[in-house]
Amino acid sequence: MPIVPLVGHAELRERLASARSRGSLPASLLFQGPRGVGKQRLALWLARTLLCDAGTIDGCGRCPSCRFELQHPDLHWFFPRPRLKDSDPDLDDVVGDYGEAVAEGAADAGLYAAPGGSEAIYIATVRAIVQQASRTPAIAKRKVFI
């Protein structure tokens, strides 16, 4: 399922692509701005760019990494979710919950709805992120966390 195309941000995309080609892209980035400006789409665009085997700016669309889109095993996408019913959920349950949520987002062209107030990134989610970050990438040269 392809993600929603990124419109705009041409100068920023050019700067990020240039930094990637020079090997000077920071290890972490924070996209901040008002609601609806495309932060989520920009992060997904950058993930696709970083995971593409061909190394093209917008992803080649042909390599295995590009065909995976949101289900890429080295793309880890976390966003505010409702608290799981268990007070101390197993990390596999947390990862499974996010897997289902990303699949739902993929059905909506790669977007998740803005949190309503009861959603958050809870401690169990942070533990799952740390656990996944400690593993080596599955098929790409790197992992990308959003």
Side-chain angles (χ1 to χ4, degrees):
M1 172 72 58
I3 60 172
V4 173
L6 178 62
V7 178
H9 303 291
E11 183 180 327
L12 181 56
R13 286 191 304 181
E14 190 176 304
R15 288 178 56 201
L16 290 169
S18 174
R20 179 185 183 265
S21 66
R22 290 190 318 269
S24 63
L25 192 66
S28 61
L29 296 166
L30 175 65
F31 297 139
Q32 182 271 343
R35 185 175 175 179
V37 298
K39 300 176 297 288
Q40 182 179 183
R41 292 177 186 169
L42 182 63
L44 291 169
W45 169 84
L46 183 58
R48 183 177 187 183
T49 299
L50 291 170
L51 294 172
C52 177
D53 295 339
T56 61
I57 292 177
D58 288 322
C60 69
R62 294 179 305 279
C63 71
S65 290
C66 285
R67 287 193 305 260
F68 273 117
E69 290 285 341
L70 295 176
Q71 283 77 38
H72 195 290
D74 295 318
L75 173 62
H76 304 279
W77 188 19
F78 294 91
F79 42 86
R81 297 280 301 145
R83 183 184 296 271
L84 294 176
K85 296 188 189 304
D86 188 1
S87 62
D88 189 20
D90 185 56
L91 296 183
D92 290 334
D93 293 338
V94 173
V95 171
D97 177 58
Y98 273 93
E100 291 172 13
V102 167
E104 291 170 10
D108 290 332
L111 298 174
Y112 69 88
S118 63
E119 296 91 358
I121 296 178
Y122 295 100
I123 295 294
T125 304
V126 174
R127 289 182 184 137
I129 292 170
V130 169
Q131 180 188 55
Q132 289 181 342
S134 68
R135 296 180 183 156
T136 58
I139 62 172
K141 295 177 184 171
R142 66 184 81 215
K143 291 181 176 187
V144 177
F145 288 82
I146 299 176

